[in-house]
Amino acid sequence: MDMENRDNIAQWPIYFAPGCKLLQLEPQTVSQLYDYLHQLFGTIHLYTRCCGLDDARQHDEEAVFITLCSSCFKVYGDTYANLHMRDFWDIYTDYKDIYPLKDEKELHKKLDTAMEGAFPKEGLDKWYHALKK
């Protein structure tokens, strides 16, 4: 994709919301990806809250949320009309020719392993409904 047709996400504040599961299981990888995004866009805010426990009044500003977690993508995308949701790998596809990651295959493997199983939001919903009974 040429530079003129890339999505201009840098026009809004950018948040990297890797997801609480990755923050807990792969903190060094999250740091590596945060640094990558910082190299691409400059100021990036690391968003560390869990999508299952986040307060819907938290985000009044128009912003971009870049995430690796499908649960975060869905929850934030469905909850906040003012957020422009982007999957990290879609961003990477647009920029990998300019700034490739080292050991991309190993990184995919590590992240896929960390994200196996129930996502936090699903587990929290189940826990919450059991608690209410």
Side-chain angles (χ1 to χ4, degrees), residues 39-89:
Q39 291 293 320
L40 288 177
F41 302 115
T43 302
I44 300 289
H45 308 281
L46 182 61
Y47 195 78
T48 60
R49 296 185 65 161
C50 174
C51 63
L53 301 173
D54 209 348
D55 181 351
R57 295 166 294 178
Q58 218 37 44
H59 304 287
D60 296 334
E61 69 181 337
E62 191 164 7
V64 173
F65 259 43
I66 300 171
T67 188
L68 289 153
C69 174
S70 60
S71 184
C72 288
F73 194 96
K74 178 162 180 36
V75 169
Y76 291 126
D78 289 350
T79 305
Y80 306 109
N82 56 322
L83 294 182
H84 303 273
M85 299 303 300
R86 298 293 184 273
D87 178 79
F88 174 85
W89 293 112

